[in-house]
Amino acid sequence: MKGIILAGGNGTRLQPLTFAGSKQLAPVYDKPMIYYPLSVLMLAGVRDILIVTRPNDLPAFQTLLSDGRQLGLNIDYATQDEPRGIADAFLVGADHIRGEQCALILGDNLFHGANLPTLLRRSALKMGGCVLFGQEVADPERYGVAEIDPRGELVSIEEKPRHPRSNLAIPGIYFFDAQVSDIARDLEPSARGELEITDVLRVYLKMGTAELVWLGRGVTWLDTGTHESLLEAGAFVRDTQRRQGIRLGCIEEIAMHMGYIEPDDCRALGAGMGNSPYGEYVMERARLCSAGVLPPLPSEGL
């Protein structure tokens, strides 16, 4: 399965913070925002990843992540000169997908949960067309909303409805089969001039191949697209890390945990960060792994 991280857009809700660069490079406590969606794809077993971003931001992403080889990944890049909707990622990334299944995750979404990686892998394996995820929220009018019937079957999808038919929001991670680029290519822009991800989902729903998977109460989902939510996400990461003694979204540790790199490689990555607490943590996890005493990642490292 190929992966796409959508890290474009102008981040207007976060201005002036985003005047100087992409919001996905903004810090969420102790690491760049993009580490969190990248860690989700890594834990789902996705290693061939395309990052879609603005042309001006491309050099910064390349400086941060390079080609991914140091993490046992293959990271490539593509640019959007202007925001054209989430579904435009399938057009920009058509050559990257190349007829394979695809996982799309939004670059400003943070997920945390012990069972999430297993849930994602299981969902990808049994996918027939597309998989979207659902989670109950108090303010569904801010999101795409899924409606289900009494049997739990998906019956409708709406984009930011004024009067939601349910409180089941659709988070920013989706799995699609190989025809998603062709479906996106046939879409018409919405009233706001964008290619909507909900329109892609509706095509699969009409074909009877859209499956809704509940994330459940054991998964935390945070959208970091506003100043307030960015602050809340940072506090969540800080508090969880202090309580558990681990680092959420630590891509070096996850790469080692998944067998993408060796402990010595992980240790070298940590050493390259000087005396930062993050780098020291990475080196310590590599040492514990080499000694054979590293426990399983708490909450699967998310």
Side-chain angles (χ1 to χ4, degrees):
M1 176 177 282
K2 298 294 185 72
I4 297 178
I5 302 176
L6 185 55
N10 293 322
T12 54
R13 292 184 297 169
L14 285 175
Q15 291 176 355
L17 177 64
T18 51
F19 280 154
S22 168
K23 69 178 177 181
Q24 286 84 13
L25 293 172
V28 178
Y29 188 53
D30 60 348
K31 62 191 75 68
M33 185 186 298
I34 197 169
Y35 273 36
Y36 299 95
L38 177 58
S39 70
V40 172
L41 292 183
M42 292 171 67
L43 283 162
V46 179
R47 302 178 67 176
D48 195 347
I49 298 167
L50 179 73
I51 296 176
V52 179
T53 188
R54 299 182 300 183
N56 289 346
D57 296 324
L58 179 59
F61 281 103
Q62 291 174 320
T63 298
L64 178 67
L65 296 170
S66 186
D67 61 2
R69 191 178 311 171
Q70 73 280 9
L71 298 169
L73 307 176
N74 177 44
I75 297 178
D76 204 352
Y77 302 88
T79 59
Q80 268 183 332
D81 53 0
E82 61 182 26
R84 289 187 292 269
I86 294 174
D88 186 56
F90 301 120
L91 305 184
V92 174
D95 289 340
H96 171 73
I97 298 172
R98 291 197 193 97
E100 294 189 34
Q101 293 180 337
C102 171
L104 172 68
I105 188 168
L106 304 188
D108 61 357
N109 276 218
L110 185 155
F111 298 89
H112 172 73
N115 297 322
L116 182 60
T118 300
L119 178 66
L120 295 178
R121 293 177 202 142
R122 186 182 301 127
S123 298
L125 286 174
K126 67 177 184 177
M127 180 177 61
C130 84
V131 174
L132 59 151
F133 298 87
Q135 188 172 68
E136 293 179 296
V137 297
D139 50 354
E141 64 277 0
R142 293 182 52 215
Y143 307 100
V145 175
E147 180 190 7
I148 57 175
D149 63 19
R151 299 175 299 170
E153 298 293 327
L154 181 66
V155 295
S156 75
I157 301 167
E158 298 179 284
E159 177 65 24
K160 297 180 180 177
R162 293 181 62 185
H163 304 289
R165 298 178 182 176
S166 80
N167 66 341
L168 197 60
I170 303 172
I173 182 168
Y174 321 84
F175 292 162
F176 295 96
D177 65 11
Q179 60 182 327
V180 66
S181 292
D182 293 332
I183 289 173
R185 196 171 289 114
D186 291 336
L187 295 180
E188 294 291 333
S190 66
R192 58 179 184 168
E194 296 189 356
L195 299 179
E196 306 288 355
I197 189 67
T198 46
D199 288 338
V200 175
L201 297 174
R202 287 192 191 104
V203 172
Y204 282 97
L205 178 60
K206 186 176 181 180
M207 293 190 297
T209 57
E211 180 183 1
L212 175 71
V213 175
W214 288 62
L215 289 180
R217 297 185 180 184
V219 174
T220 297
W221 163 47
L222 300 172
D223 178 342
T224 57
T226 68
H227 293 103
E228 188 66 24
S229 61
L230 184 61
L231 184 62
E232 291 173 354
F236 173 81
V237 171
R238 179 199 62 197
D239 294 344
T240 303
Q241 291 186 170
R242 284 179 179 175
R243 186 176 303 115
Q244 298 186 7
I246 50 90
R247 300 266 172 172
L248 277 65
C250 181
I251 55 178
E252 298 83 6
E253 181 184 11
I254 292 170
M256 179 179 64
H257 169 77
M258 297 293 292
Y260 299 163
I261 61 175
E262 296 298 322
D264 286 347
D265 301 319
C266 185
R267 184 183 298 107
L269 292 173
M273 300 179 204
N275 61 351
S276 72
Y278 184 94
E280 291 174 354
Y281 171 84
V282 171
M283 288 190 287
E284 175 63 10
R285 300 303 280 188
R287 185 191 69 80
L288 291 174
C289 185
S290 294
V293 295
L294 183 63
L297 286 179
S299 295
E300 293 288 349
L302 286 172

